[in-house]
Amino acid sequence: MLAPMDTISSVVHPRTDCRLCGSADLTQIMDFGQTPLANAYLSSKELDQPEVFASLVVNFCNNCKLVQLRDVVDPKVLFSRYLYVSGTSPVFVAHFADYAKSVTKRFQLSGDSLVIDVGSNDGVLLTQFKKEGTKILGVDPAENIAAEATQSGIPTLAKFFTPETATGVEAEYGKASVITANNVFAHTDDVIGFVEAVKVLMAKDGAFIFEVQYLKDLVEQNLFDIIYHEHLLYYHITPLIPFFKSKGLRVFDVEHIPTHGGSIRVYVGWDDGPHATSTHVEEMCKGESDLNAVHTYEAFMTRIASGKEKLVAMIADIRDQGKRIVGFGAPAKATTLCYAYGIDATMLEYIVDDSPLKQGLYMPGTHILIKPSSALYEDKPDYCVILAWNFAVPIVKNHQKFIENGGIFISPVPEPHILS
Ligand SMILES: [Zn+2]
């Protein structure tokens, strides 16, 4: 059985206007019902205590076409139990090393150039810029993580990125050649305040570069599980161009990159700044026409409903044969997937995850236990659904022995299928 739906309404605030253009002309395109907070993993002692649930509803702005969550969960509640520390994942370390190299080269950064990373976490990106020889500064509201990063040589301010924070930073450090923000630009309810802060700090020839998951990949690959309360905005390029223009800024380039199932790296400068606008920007907009129509999302939700039916039937079939099935990976998106698909501990016996931080905890809402991946060999389940599907390739590669022992991996996306 799923957990009772205890909503603490005071921590949830519905938004009635578009976060980019302010229009109130919004259409509801998705409703995943009341879901638990995706990162609120539970210890065994907390299993009988009430959990915070909030409605997971997605709106479409008919004016600028931005796709966004309706409800905002108080960040203090949302991020109070955050376990994810980016530097722990080797895939991301390699990604950020390439990123720092390419940005340093493209913008000819030197020892005088300041790079500011917003939402810098443990300093995984800034560590790479430090190696490239630039000046660095992190901004991250998580005090414990900021203190640890500072101690390990990555100076980090424990603050939210607001115009006030930016004014203080500028007074002390001067203007930034590059301001980076990875995923946090999709986490912020006050996008306008964020961009005002960028404007305080960005040098005349500077660049604001942010990475966010790409709405087109989300829709085309049926990646509905990346929708959860931390992710308030689901970007495509079309709404961003007029938004930045209205702020005196210009999107001058965009790259499509594979992170998190498909992301975009967007480059923004001053509208009258020196960076010529790449043809990539217009090309990408041309490929987005489907994303600007509500019927695309109706078709998307129909596909999600059929994916649910298929996965639930697969699991029932496996269990009817007396076989055992578990999950691999307990990222935040697994909470949305399990909850939206109604998959609980009676269907997946447990989930394995390589992060020691999560082992021994239980999934929010569904209360599925998280174990180390050694359980695949000690306990020998027959099937394993890869919930961390963005790591499916390394997971299958690292667990050939599970397959050799007769184990079978299942991927839940783009529609449920057997992998091996
Ligand atoms: Zn809008």
Side-chain angles (χ1 to χ4, degrees):
M1 287 296 290
L2 298 181
M5 294 183 183
D6 301 300
T7 305
I8 300 175
S9 58
S10 63
V11 304
V12 181
H13 304 284
R15 179 106 190 198
T16 54
D17 61 338
C18 171
R19 290 176 179 83
L20 289 190
C21 77
S23 170
D25 186 8
L26 307 175
T27 299
Q28 183 176 310
I29 51 172
M30 302 176 201
D31 182 357
F32 295 99
Q34 297 279 319
T35 68
L37 305 185
N39 272 298
Y41 303 93
L42 305 160
S43 67
S44 57
K45 286 185 191 140
E46 293 169 312
L47 286 177
D48 55 358
Q49 289 170 20
E51 287 172 73
V52 176
F53 280 67
S55 54
L56 193 58
V57 169
V58 183
N59 280 336
F60 172 81
C61 173
N62 292 298
N63 180 46
C64 78
K65 320 303 180 193
L66 179 73
V67 170
Q68 55 200 301
L69 280 201
R70 183 188 66 190
D71 298 300
V72 185
V73 178
D74 184 339
K76 286 194 204 83
V77 176
L78 198 53
F79 295 106
S80 63
R81 308 171 55 105
Y82 217 57
L83 290 177
Y84 179 71
V85 178
S86 53
T88 55
S89 166
V91 174
F92 288 128
V93 173
H95 166 75
F96 288 129
D98 290 346
Y99 185 175
K101 270 197 177 58
S102 104
V103 169
T104 303
K105 193 172 166 208
R106 175 167 183 176
F107 297 103
Q108 298 176 321
L109 301 182
S110 67
D112 295 329
S113 312
L114 173 64
V115 176
I116 295 177
D117 188 29
V118 183
S120 51
N121 206 299
D122 57 350
V124 64
L125 174 59
L126 288 176
T127 302
Q128 302 302 327
F129 275 108
K130 196 177 174 185
K131 282 184 194 160
E132 299 297 321
T134 72
K135 292 195 284 184
I136 53 168
L137 179 68
V139 181
D140 197 297
E143 284 181 18
N144 54 343
I145 294 176
E148 271 176 40
T150 302
Q151 225 168 29
S152 68
I154 309 297
T156 305
L157 280 183
K159 288 190 170 171
F160 283 100
F161 190 61
T162 62
E164 295 73 39
T165 303
T167 304
V169 169
E170 199 222 347
E172 197 175 340
Y173 299 87
K175 298 278 186 193
S177 302
V178 167
I179 300 166
T180 52
N182 297 301
N183 296 309
V184 288
F185 202 58
H187 286 67
T188 182
D189 185 36
D190 183 13
V191 184
I192 293 173
F194 194 108
V195 170
E196 291 303 330
V198 166
K199 290 172 67 174
V200 170
L201 277 168
M202 189 166 68
K204 211 62 211 162
D205 60 351
F208 166 46
I209 310 169
F210 62 93
E211 285 184 12
V212 284
Q213 284 166 330
Y214 188 31
L215 178 66
K216 191 175 165 78
D217 293 311
L218 185 161
V219 170
E220 290 182 353
Q221 302 297 313
N222 301 333
L223 308 180
F224 77 98
D225 53 348
I226 61 181
I227 297 170
Y228 50 86
H229 298 102
E230 278 95 327
H231 293 161
L232 292 166
L233 302 112
Y234 301 86
Y235 288 109
H236 59 313
I237 290 295
T238 304
L240 285 169
I241 292 171
F243 169 69
F244 281 113
K245 182 93 181 160
S246 74
K247 303 292 170 203
L249 302 169
R250 177 165 44 82
V251 175
F252 66 85
D253 202 0
V254 60
E255 290 168 49
H256 192 190
I257 55 174
T259 321
H260 296 298
S263 296
I264 40 175
R265 184 180 294 167
V266 184
Y267 296 76
V268 178
W270 292 100
D271 197 9
D272 57 359
H275 306 298
T277 302
S278 155
T279 52
H280 297 153
V281 179
E282 202 189 327
E283 282 162 17
M284 192 162 263
C285 278
K286 278 187 186 154
E288 292 181 344
S289 54
D290 284 353
L291 301 174
N292 301 327
V294 167
H295 65 77
T296 297
Y297 304 99
E298 290 164 357
F300 172 79
M301 287 308 278
T302 304
R303 294 198 299 278
I304 300 311
S306 94
K308 172 182 181 173
E309 245 173 62
K310 190 166 176 186
L311 187 59
V312 168
M314 268 173 104
I315 294 173
D317 191 39
I318 288 165
R319 293 181 66 94
D320 284 350
Q321 293 169 36
K323 300 273 171 78
R324 300 175 57 212
I325 181 162
V326 301
F328 201 118
K333 58 178 173 281
T335 300
T336 303
L337 190 134
C338 289
Y339 213 79
Y341 276 10
I343 293 171
D344 62 16
T346 66
M347 298 161 82
L348 285 189
E349 285 186 35
Y350 52 85
I351 292 172
V352 299
D353 194 288
D354 289 327
S355 165
L357 292 173
K358 289 179 183 165
Q359 292 161 7
L361 297 179
Y362 292 80
M363 293 297 286
T366 56
H367 295 181
I368 303 173
L369 176 62
I370 304 165
K371 294 186 176 187
S373 59
S374 55
L376 291 184
Y377 303 99
E378 289 153 11
D379 190 48
K380 299 188 172 66
D382 303 291
Y383 288 82
C384 182
V385 183
I386 300 183
L387 301 166
W389 42 254
N390 50 326
F391 295 117
V393 172
I395 287 170
V396 171
K397 191 169 159 231
N398 293 339
H399 294 281
Q400 283 298 308
K401 212 173 130 213
F402 172 69
I403 297 169
E404 285 161 19
N405 292 346
I408 295 171
F409 281 115
I410 294 171
S411 172
V413 293
E415 60 170 34
H417 64 282
I418 283 175
L419 272 179
S420 43

